[in-house]
């Protein structure tokens, strides 16, 4: 997923460690799209898609004498909902097995979360912190796709996309953090389409 622009220092206010934090792990993606063919090769329309990323976890642990165990887990994740104007260019519109280039641009509504858990066994102690932020930014995608009609109206397809958006880390309300970061991810989509 790439780095979030945050470090351990930003989140824990500890000057000792400065490892970069990722903004999320793998995601489940879903969406719906409507397009209208303005030309046999060109289609324009609208799309909504959602992406719920898993936690990217960073763990540190220290064994200190006499037998004290300290561990820190930092989890970061992101939910991204895109509302887009979209289009596609089809290379072979007269075939039942088509190849095309999909593209889109619009807005992303994002929610980011960072959770910090610190555990000390001896003496027993547990600390928990949570930082969240929401942002709205420009979003876009560009990809490659193929589809196969298996009846006069229905088609299945596969699509690969690179999608991008921005997030303002100042939304976390962390001390000294105010940079806007570009985030990008690759989506593999299985599509079911109905042609009117």
């Amino acid at each position: 997923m790439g780095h979030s622009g945050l470090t351990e220092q930003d989140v824990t206010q500890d000057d000792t460690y400065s490892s970069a934090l990722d903004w999320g792990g793998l995601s489940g993606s879903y969406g719906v799209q409507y397009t209208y063919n303005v030309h046999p090769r060109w289609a324009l329309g609208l799309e909504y898609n959602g992406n719920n990323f898993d936690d990217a976890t960073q763990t540190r642990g220290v064994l200190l004498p006499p037998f004290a165990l300290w561990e820190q887990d930092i989890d970061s994740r992101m939910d991204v909902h895109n509302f887009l104007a979209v289009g596609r260019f089809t290379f072979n519109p007269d075939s039942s097995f088509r190849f095309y280039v999909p593209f889109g641009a619009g807005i992303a509504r994002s929610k980011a979360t960072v959770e910090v858990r610190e555990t000390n066994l001896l003496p027993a102690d547990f600390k928990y912190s949570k930082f969240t932020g929401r942002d709205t930014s420009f979003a876009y995608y560009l990809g490659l796709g193929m589809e196969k009609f298996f009846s006069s109206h229905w088609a299945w397809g596969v699509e690969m996309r690179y999608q991008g958006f921005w997030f303002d880390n100042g939304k976390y309300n962390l001390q000294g953090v105010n940079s806007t970061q570009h985030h990008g991810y690759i989506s593999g989509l299985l599509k079911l389409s109905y042609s009117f």
Side-chain angles (χ1 to χ4, degrees):
M1 294 295 101
H3 297 314
S4 63
L6 298 176
T7 67
E8 287 184 71
Q9 289 178 341
D10 297 323
V11 175
T12 64
Q13 302 300 309
D14 183 349
D15 292 335
T16 306
Y17 300 96
S18 60
S19 298
L21 302 178
D22 292 341
W23 58 269
L26 293 177
S27 169
S29 298
Y30 47 89
V32 61
Q33 181 185 87
Y34 175 81
T35 58
Y36 178 77
N37 280 45
V38 296
H39 180 275
R41 293 184 186 274
W42 291 96
L44 299 174
L46 298 171
E47 176 180 325
Y48 159 77
N49 69 66
N51 305 268
N52 302 108
F53 291 89
D54 291 333
D55 293 350
T57 300
Q58 182 164 305
T59 300
R60 288 193 294 127
V62 180
L63 180 62
L64 300 171
F67 312 110
L69 178 65
W70 175 84
E71 183 177 272
Q72 181 188 74
D73 294 304
I74 302 177
D75 296 334
S76 49
R77 63 182 177 275
M78 187 87 69
D79 292 333
V80 184
H81 299 273
N82 297 301
F83 304 88
L84 306 162
V86 299
R88 61 181 273 180
F89 175 80
T90 303
F91 294 102
N92 53 339
D94 297 327
S95 174
S96 63
F97 192 80
R98 299 176 181 171
F99 295 91
Y100 62 92
V101 174
F103 53 90
I107 61 170
R109 296 275 297 162
S110 308
K111 178 185 177 184
T113 304
V114 175
E115 295 178 292
V116 182
R117 296 173 179 84
E118 294 186 19
T119 304
N120 191 19
L121 293 184
L122 292 172
D125 188 29
F126 177 77
K127 296 178 182 178
Y128 173 80
S129 301
K130 183 177 181 179
F131 306 93
T132 62
R134 296 177 185 270
D135 199 11
T136 301
S137 73
F138 176 72
Y140 65 93
Y141 75 81
L142 180 66
L144 290 172
M146 56 78 64
E147 64 183 4
K148 168 68 176 172
F149 277 83
F150 57 88
S151 75
S152 57
H153 293 286
W154 288 97
W156 65 269
V158 177
E159 194 172 294
M160 295 293 293
R161 297 178 177 180
Y162 177 82
Q163 299 193 212
F165 68 103
W166 281 260
F167 190 84
D168 178 6
N169 286 340
K171 302 287 186 175
Y172 285 108
N173 292 318
L174 289 165
Q175 181 179 343
V177 177
N178 56 14
S179 63
T180 297
Q181 300 290 322
H182 175 265
H183 298 322
Y185 54 99
I186 295 174
S187 298
L189 305 173
L190 179 63
K191 301 183 73 173
L192 180 66
S193 304
Y194 182 82
S195 178
F196 296 95

